[in-house]
Amino acid sequence: MREQSIPVSNIYADRQSGRDFDRPQYKRLLRKLKKDDLLCIKSIDRLGRNYAEILEQWRILTKEKGVDIVVTDMPLLDTRRGKDLMGTFLADIVLQVLSFVAENERANIRQRQAEGIAAAKARGVRFGRPPRPLPENFHSVYRRWKGGEITGAAAAKECGMPLATFRYRAEIYEKHEKGKML
């Protein structure tokens, strides 16, 4: 965008995925755009990766807001040119094809990611941060809680953890203890 002499103050870049349009910088851009403004987009997949939503946002930008759009890596997607019926028709076809490709690429990325995660898990790779060790008093607090002497909230407080964490760790502890007995 800088190579096209667009001022830095007019460049909007979100750091999150383009899977939807609920992005802070995109929303900011939408608020700022007005009739006859020119929106430059590097590539259609930078706008979004959901076929239906890309088409809807394109309609909002071009029809409702009256904004011209240029997709720099696809010269056919330049709403300034060919405002006649044929130009609009060609731009719409190209937009639909590229929107489909963008969504399809997102689906492929997600599938490859899922396959990679499954392969890593099969190799024994653990995800997330390692669990904290149980507090030293956990066993005695757990037994008092299990025996009905104290509530779950009181047990969690004594162990210095949230109630949901206490219950989760208690469930794991029970399974571990049962495994020892078998």
Side-chain angles (χ1 to χ4, degrees):
M1 294 296 138
R2 289 185 185 117
E3 290 171 9
Q4 296 189 17
S5 302
I6 296 174
V8 175
S9 62
N10 287 345
I11 297 175
Y12 295 83
D14 281 300
R15 302 272 187 253
Q16 64 194 73
S17 166
R19 70 182 158 89
D20 63 30
F21 288 88
D22 188 22
R23 304 185 311 255
Q25 290 297 311
Y26 182 75
K27 287 179 176 180
R28 199 168 143 236
L29 169 70
L30 268 183
R31 286 192 302 271
K32 194 165 186 174
L33 284 172
K34 55 190 179 304
K35 186 171 176 36
D36 296 326
D37 279 350
L38 176 63
L39 174 60
C40 292
I41 302 169
K42 181 184 181 328
S43 171
I44 199 69
D45 67 339
R46 298 294 86 211
L47 179 61
R49 294 215 175 102
N50 178 300
Y51 177 76
E53 286 186 15
I54 290 172
L55 296 178
E56 176 64 14
Q57 289 302 311
W58 190 275
R59 186 193 64 73
I60 289 169
L61 292 164
T62 58
K63 305 289 189 262
E64 290 181 18
K65 287 196 163 279
V67 171
D68 278 319
I69 303 175
V70 174
V71 179
T72 59
D73 72 348
M74 183 54 60
L76 284 173
L77 286 177
D78 184 341
T79 61
R80 298 172 300 179
R81 288 191 231 139
K83 294 225 180 212
D84 61 348
L85 188 58
M86 181 58 81
T88 303
F89 173 70
L90 288 174
D92 285 350
I93 287 174
V94 171
L95 174 64
Q96 288 194 21
V97 169
L98 292 177
S99 299
F100 170 79
V101 169
E103 182 169 337
N104 196 43
E105 178 59 19
R106 176 161 169 68
N108 289 340
I109 289 168
R110 292 186 74 185
Q111 181 180 351
R112 287 191 300 268
Q113 180 185 32
E115 289 168 358
I117 290 170
K121 285 183 177 180
R123 290 190 315 269
V125 174
R126 292 184 48 114
F127 290 87
R129 72 173 184 226
R132 288 187 178 145
L134 289 175
E136 290 184 23
N137 65 345
F138 186 85
H139 182 72
S140 62
V141 171
Y142 168 81
R143 281 209 259 131
R144 289 177 33 228
W145 170 69
K146 208 58 177 163
E149 296 174 36
I150 58 174
T151 66
K157 189 173 183 177
E158 280 188 44
C159 289
M161 58 179 66
L163 178 58
T165 303
F166 177 80
R167 287 183 176 152
Y168 173 74
R169 299 298 295 267
E171 185 180 322
I172 293 171
Y173 184 77
E174 285 174 9
K175 288 177 185 174
H176 184 292
E177 292 299 306
K178 283 181 185 174
K180 280 185 178 178
M181 288 190 246
L182 297 176

